[in-house]
Each structure stands twice: as structure tokens, then as C-alpha cells.
Amino acid sequence: MRRVAELVGQWFAVLVLLGAVAGLAAPGTFAPLAAHVPLLLGIIMFGMGLTLTGRDFALVAKRPAAVAIGVVAQFTIMPLLAWAIGHLFGLEGEAMIGMILVGAAPGGTASNVIVYLAKGDTALSVALTTVSTLLAPLLTPALVLWLAGTDLDVTYGSLVTSIAQVVLFPVIAGLLVRTFAGRIVERYLLPYLPLVSVLGIVVVVAAIVGANADAVLSTGLLVALAVIVHNCAGLLLGYGAAAAVRFDEPARRAVSVEVGMQNSGLAASLATTYFSPAAALPAALFSVWHNVSGSLLASYWARRPVGESARATASTEV
């Protein structure tokens, strides 16, 4: 089982792509699962909480400026890009709301693995994912209502409640279990978490694509192109923002991936809860694409490793 979990983690992008193909090929089978997206995301976020330790939070105290700049980049670059690209591509209604939901989401759950493979600052990546996830119940609803408020019939409080239920509470629960049963978690659970997380994301993608099979075939190409531009621009601007404040190379890679890879599962959950499966289409396509682009970027950077001394002093002095 451990070997299977390792293989699943290594072939993450391919499995997500196969999930999308399965949803498109058998929509009747996978579409009903869209109603369970919040539960699946909660399980994934619980698993994320199990991976956290006090060391992850200690980095926030040791390098507050680095974490603060990364989080600000996360919650400014991607939401504004989503709004601008959505208008540039002429997206309206549910598709536009879906783009903004993706842009306003915190960092993606697979970003830490991508940063590790890319020879980036993994500790900073974990800290950024953790902090942005914990801030999401407050910041994501505010950003969504600001950028798409005229199109929404949903309150700030309801969005906060949903995000807390599917993201914040499961993460905290996982953290508490790790704190009080650390040895059990490390021995019996941690080796298999990649399997649970990847399969959960694959099912989410298959469900959302299955529920939007007709839309994917009719307008999916335009939305897919917008999603690709959104992700690539986020990766580029995230790297540029880190370079502008003189972060070193490992930290630049971490911020780039953290900004460019979104928690599209959260966006899909909010879309299916408050709008329609069509609003979740950008999230499903983003989930497929950002794992492909992230894997390709990690492969590119892995062949251009930075020095060990540089990584050890990835202090991001600002």
C-alpha cells in the first residue's frame, strides 16, 4: 500500500487528467458525485491538517515578512487576474463567477509537493499554504463579493460558514489529532495520505466535469484557455513579485507555485453549494491544468537546482 501511495503521488497530474476524461466519457456515473464535493474536500483538508506540526507555524514567527509578502501576493495577484482575464475572454454569469472563485481561493493542496520537487523552499511553501488556508474563511468571501458582488445572491456570513466547515475545521481537527497522537499518525496514516488526497481530487474533478459534460464540449475550450492563462500568469507574477523584493531562488520558486496553484477544490465546493455545476467548471479545469503545469515547472526547475547553502539560508530577507 505504501508503494501504491508513492506511485499515486508521482503520477498525480496524469491521474487528475484521467479523472477529467472519465467524467467526460461517463457523465451519468460521475455527475451525481458533485453533491459530495464539500465532503471530499473536507477529507482532503483533514489530511492536510495531519501533516502539520508546530515547526510549520514556527516559521511564521521566524520569517514573518516572507510569509506576509507571500500571502499578500496570493490574495491579490490571483483574484485580480481572474477578474481581468474573465473580462478579457468575455466570460459572463456562472463562468465569470467560477473564475473569481478560483482566483480568491487559498493555495493549492498539492503546491508543497510541487515546490519540493522543484528544489524550492518547501518550509516556506508549507507556511504559505497553511496561513492562506487559515485566512481563507475571512478573505475569500470578501474578495468574491467585491469582484463579483453584483452577480451574487449570497451573503458574506454564509460563505464564511461554508469555508470554515470544509476547510478550517477539518484542518484544525487534523492538526489536533497529529498533536495528541503524533506517533500513531506518523506510523499508520502519513504514508497513505498522498493516496487519499490524490484520489479525492481525482473524484472531485471527475464529478465536476461529469456534471458539466455538455458545457465542456460546447464552451469548455474558451474557459480552459482562460484557466490556462490565469494559472501561467499567476506562476509568472508570483515569481516576479518574489524577485522584486529580493527573495533568493528557492523562495522565488515557492512563492511562484503558491501563487499560481489554487485550492480549486474549495472553489468547486463553493460553486456547487451556492450556484450551479456550471460555476464549478473553471475550478475543475484549473484542477486538471495546474497539476500538469506545476509538474512540468517542477521538472524544469529540478534540472536547475540551487546550491544547498542557498537553500539552507532561504531567509528571504526583506
Side-chain angles (χ1 to χ4, degrees), residues 225-288:
L225 184 58
V227 163
I228 291 172
V229 172
H230 187 203
N231 169 246
C232 292
L235 292 169
L236 181 62
L237 291 179
Y239 187 92
V245 294
R246 303 175 67 85
F247 282 11
D248 60 15
E249 181 61 22
R252 293 179 190 183
R253 297 180 182 186
V255 174
S256 172
V257 172
E258 286 299 320
V259 171
M261 295 187 70
Q262 299 293 88
N263 190 335
S264 48
L266 173 60
S269 174
L270 294 175
T272 54
T273 299
Y274 292 103
F275 305 104
S276 69
L281 179 59
L285 295 175
F286 198 98
S287 185
V288 175

Side-chain angles (χ1 to χ4, degrees), residues 56-201:
D56 301 321
F57 294 95
L59 181 66
V60 179
K62 291 180 180 178
R63 295 156 59 184
V67 175
I69 290 172
V71 171
V72 169
Q74 169 72 46
F75 284 113
T76 55
I77 291 175
M78 291 304 276
L80 295 176
L81 274 178
W83 182 87
I85 292 171
H87 283 287
L88 179 66
F89 280 80
L91 301 182
E92 299 178 347
E94 305 290 304
M96 185 64 176
I97 292 172
M99 284 289 295
I100 292 173
L101 283 169
V102 171
T109 55
S111 59
N112 308 142
V113 176
I114 297 298
V115 171
Y116 172 78
L117 296 175
K119 310 296 184 183
D121 191 335
T122 307
L124 179 60
S125 173
V126 172
L128 292 176
T129 301
T130 303
V131 173
S132 67
T133 299
L134 295 178
L135 290 176
L138 297 177
L139 297 181
T140 297
L143 289 166
V144 171
L145 292 174
W146 173 45
L147 295 173
T150 56
D151 299 320
L152 301 184
D153 185 22
V154 60
T155 65
Y156 178 83
S158 60
L159 287 173
V160 169
T161 301
S162 291
I163 298 175
Q165 289 174 342
V166 301
V167 174
L168 184 61
F169 295 160
V171 168
I172 293 176
L175 176 61
L176 290 174
V177 172
R178 177 68 181 272
T179 300
F180 294 105
R183 292 185 178 180
I184 296 175
V185 170
E186 291 170 10
R187 183 174 181 179
Y188 297 106
L189 296 180
L190 286 186
Y192 309 107
L193 285 182
L195 179 63
V196 175
S197 297
V198 171
L199 291 180
I201 294 174

Side-chain angles (χ1 to χ4, degrees), residues 286-307:
F286 198 98
S287 185
V288 175
W289 171 253
H290 81 164
N291 286 301
V292 173
S293 66
S295 299
L296 292 174
L297 186 60
S299 299
Y300 173 81
W301 271 333
R303 294 193 296 270
R304 291 161 178 77
V306 295

Side-chain angles (χ1 to χ4, degrees), residues 24 31 207-217 276-281 284:
L24 195 61
I208 298 302
V209 171
N212 289 278
D214 293 337
V216 171
L217 295 175
S276 69
L281 179 59

